[in-house]
Amino acid sequence: MKNILLIFFLLANFISYGQYTGATPYTSQFGANESVYKSGANWRIINVDDDDMVFAVVNKYGRVVAHAYIEAGDSYMFTDLPIGSYSYKFSSDDGYFEKKTSILLDGCDPDVYICKGEAQWEHQVWVETTGGYSSGRISKKDFFNN
């Protein structure tokens, strides 16, 4: 009987689709997260919204290079991204949004500096609303366009 219960709980855990901070639920749409060994281009995202979100790092060509699920009130750090300029888009319970402001991640040259693995940029992300209108709103199609 113990073995049957153990197998049941293992299968239930394996089959469940519960997300957790750092999960990459849209790998089939965006591909695997890109990273460059010891680039030092680290970007910490703090979800200060009331809802969980999926945050996507977008390069200057409009392609998602990394994404992650981030629970409400939690943070996640994208580590060792390719050196470059990035914007972002995210989805939350309220819809799909983007911020086209370019952020330069130039990393840390380990041959010159002692790279401590700290975040080069840190952003708090939430759905901005003004009089019922959410700024940066995009369509689902635009969110998944890669």
Side-chain angles (χ1 to χ4, degrees):
M1 184 66 176
K2 276 186 184 179
N3 290 339
I4 292 172
L5 286 174
L6 179 63
I7 290 171
F8 173 75
F9 285 119
L10 287 174
L11 285 175
N13 189 32
F14 180 74
I15 293 172
S16 73
Y17 292 99
Q19 294 295 327
Y20 55 91
T21 294
T24 53
Y26 300 134
T27 303
S28 61
Q29 290 90 346
F30 298 137
N33 285 357
E34 294 180 23
S35 69
V36 174
Y37 182 69
K38 290 190 176 184
S39 76
N42 302 331
W43 192 5
R44 179 180 306 282
I45 306 302
I46 304 165
N47 180 1
V48 294
D49 201 64
D50 293 334
D51 298 310
D52 297 351
M53 67 174 53
V54 174
F55 185 92
V57 178
V58 181
N59 69 12
K60 65 182 179 181
Y61 304 108
R63 198 170 135 287
V64 173
V65 297
H67 77 286
Y69 181 91
I70 307 172
E71 294 178 28
D74 206 352
S75 68
Y76 179 76
M77 185 158 67
F78 294 94
T79 57
D80 295 324
L81 290 166
I83 303 298
S85 293
Y86 297 100
S87 61
Y88 64 88
K89 55 187 174 181
F90 65 96
S91 68
S92 75
D93 189 46
D94 292 331
Y96 301 91
F97 308 88
E98 71 180 351
K99 184 87 171 200
K100 292 255 184 194
T101 304
S102 188
I103 295 158
L104 175 64
L105 294 174
D106 56 4
C108 175
D109 184 349
D111 294 331
V112 178
Y113 304 103
I114 297 173
C115 301
K116 298 179 182 176
E118 297 172 347
Q120 185 177 359
W121 286 95
E122 186 171 282
H123 273 87
Q124 292 184 350
V125 180
W126 67 95
V127 177
E128 298 177 47
T129 58
T130 315
Y133 171 76
S134 298
S135 65
R137 186 177 286 275
I138 58 174
S139 69
K140 182 177 181 178
K141 180 180 177 187
D142 288 340
F143 180 77
F144 286 108
N145 184 22
N146 198 27

